[in-house]
Amino acid sequence: MRAVCAADIVGAGALRPGPAPVTRAAPAAVAQEQWPAYRLDAATEASLSPPGQIKRMGRGQAMAIAAVQRAINFCGDATPPARGAGTAVSVGTAWAEEGDEIIFLENLIKFGEKGAKPAFFVNSVKNALASQLALTFGFQGENQTFAHDALSFESALWQGARILRAGRARHAVVCGVEALVEFQEIHGHLLGWYGTDPAPLAPLSAEKRAAGQGTLPGEGAAAFVLTAPGAEAAPLARLVVVRARGSLQRAPALSTSDELALVEQALRDANTRLGSVGLLLVGANGDPAFDEIYAQVARRLRARAEGLAVGVYRHLTGDFATASALGFELAVRAVAGRAVPSEVRIVEGAPGSIQRVLLYHVSSAGYHSAMIVSA
Amino acid sequence: MSARPRVVVTGMGIVSAAGWTLDETWEAIAQGRSGLRALSLFESQRCGKLPVGEVTGDPAARSGLPGGSRSDHFAVWAARAAWGDAGLSAACLAPDRGAVVLGALTGGMLFTEEFLLRLHRAERADADHLTDRACCNSTDRVAELFGLGGFRATVSNACASGGAALGLGCDLIEAGEADVVLAGGVDSLNRVVLNGFNSLMLVSPDGCRPFDAERKGMSVGEGAGVLVLESEAQAHARGARVRAWLAGRGNTCDAYHASAPQPEGRGLCEAMRLALQDAGLAPAAVDYINAHGTGTADNDPAEAKAIRALFGEAPPAVSSTKRFFGHALAAAGAIEAIVTVLALERQAIPPNLGLRTVDPKIPLAPVAEYRQAKLDVAMSASLGFGGNNSAVLFRRPGTWKEAS
């Protein structure tokens, strides 16, 4: 990956859920309980798109459009991405419009095959988000959808930077998005990933959730406008490296040394010392059984760089495969403003002026990533 | 351009309704034998009698994979065949230098269907299989099987996924991110896909007849195609046989409609032009195009217009091979890329099976009969929902100055 994935970020925008989990009744066929989750609040939901436009769109599409619009609006003095072949789209989404896919299937089950509704089928195809972005904004360049769990956004980011590096586009619009649907909540609760405690997540804090309470699901979207390094005079930040890998085992046992090796590889790729990193932003999700790996990695890194500040963000988003995109947006803002955004919770250290942010994520399935954003 | 490493194909594996091996596939093509047959995988009142490209045999027994979805079995089978075909072994590469990039749409959709059905009937719904429903599961299974710990991605660009995955594989090698990439596509039949296309009135009741005047739609298929990509220098260094040079690729989006192609085929035309530009070739260099050719009312004329717009009055030989194995969705681009490479190797043009009379609205004369031909350069084109287009261009060994 090394230097080839460097790209300047000239626009960034995010769509985050409301500040606290919202509880809904679980489907009666599954459980008689209340399920909390980080969901878009009513005002954000209503603002996604004018009703006429949203009629045939799934929520994921509308969320992606809103995030991209915010990123474009944020471009400031930089040239915004133009319609036509010069703008590529690269989307990371694990489940895309699974909501519409499930509606399609439920109609088949309830009403028989005569219940098959074409619009839900068309939306069920995972590139519906990327192609809707192309349709809405007129972007006719390379158009790619990555649907690989917690590697989705990172792959999209790598590909966006690669397209620019190869001179195949002037702008790459990169987006990570996930729209929470009930089916995913069912899945996660049956597998014991999610708890019923409606208290907000507090990753890496002393206020641990009770054992077995897992984490809480969430949703959101973040989008970025990328250009080749140096193409614009005053980018917000520079993506220096993105390194993402999957496990070679089903249900892997995570090891601190493997995780540290990934981070060290990213630092080497970026030709960067740990001491120059102003903030380590991690994807800890508040699950006490899982946060320990983050705690260990942070401890080991702080042992080498005492001043390293450690921050978390999933108390803002809940847990979902492409939440790293929202973490990335916070990292870009931190570098652009030379200060940690107030929403980020600092759990170790006291950050000063931020020139560089290292993002680190790992999932229980063994997908892990390290990304470095620099001034 | 000159510093860019050449990306070559050193191994291929395939499974489709036309067979489980490269030889079985080509034999079906040479003999003009369609793999379309009545659906037997699940019951369907509306779609049960529609000819589909259903793979025969027991995928789980073939793959030897414990657990996993039908798609996973196809992917593992094709990957194992490609790995063997390339003469690869674990000793050939460092684990983090091996990448896997597969196109996939539906993954373990049959598990989702079964789960929802049980939930609807208020039966105990077991969530264990749901972890295998994700379309990325096949990519993971392949990476785990061969210990490939490098870049891993599942590309989901609708029916253009397979071609896009091959393009990404080239990117990984050119960027120095991987030494070997297993790239391709996989998909399997399920109720959502079959009823979905049928609800759009796109499925032919008597099997697809691409470019024919009386065509009535597509035939849905399934399967997997995996190609081993590596730099030419590495292939030579380890003494591997080079099957073809993946010399160019193009990827575009129509930005025109959620499901229909741009009627003049502008996006596809641009993708093919980009593939030629990437390869440094003029249109006249292309000897054969394996068309997407689904047999739907909209696809075929748009694709034909795209070919004519780029290649002019005398386009290269063109055929669609969809009637041999149906439209295998995300696997289609990979399966057809393999057929394209086989065409270069065997110096023969696959016939456009099912073609009787070319639609007068289609400005092409697809090759109706299997025939030998001198082929040095061939292209495979794919289109997908959302206006996604991809084109990959292959050259036959001996048609360029190879690395020593």
Side-chain angles (χ1 to χ4, degrees), chain A residues 1 98 109 113-114 121 127 131 134 140 142-145 147-148 159 168 183 187 245-247 250 367, chain B residues 44-46 120 133 137 140 144 149 152 154 156-157 168 171 177 195-196 251 253-255 385-386 388:
Chain A
M1 248 175 237
E98 192 176 39
I109 291 168
E113 290 174 334
K114 65 179 185 303
F121 172 62
N127 71 331
S131 61
Q140 293 174 310
E142 294 194 28
N143 189 287
Q144 204 90 299
T145 297
H148 201 122
Q159 177 72 348
R168 304 203 296 259
F183 185 76
H187 179 188
R245 292 290 182 264
S247 170
R250 308 259 101 188
Y367 302 115
Chain B
S44 170
Q45 282 188 322
R46 290 199 164 199
H120 184 70
R133 83 183 196 277
N137 209 50
D140 284 340
E144 291 159 13
R152 191 184 303 181
T154 301
S156 212
N157 286 9
L168 177 57
D171 270 338
E177 178 66 24
N195 282 285
N251 172 321
C253 186
D254 290 350
F385 271 12
N388 277 77

Side-chain angles (χ1 to χ4, degrees), chain B residues 47 58 74 93 102 112 136 147 162 172 185 237 240 291 307 315 330 345 351 355 365:
Chain B
C47 307
D58 182 350
F74 290 151
L93 72 161
L102 294 184
T112 311
C136 65
L172 293 172
I307 291 170
E345 286 184 344
L355 181 66

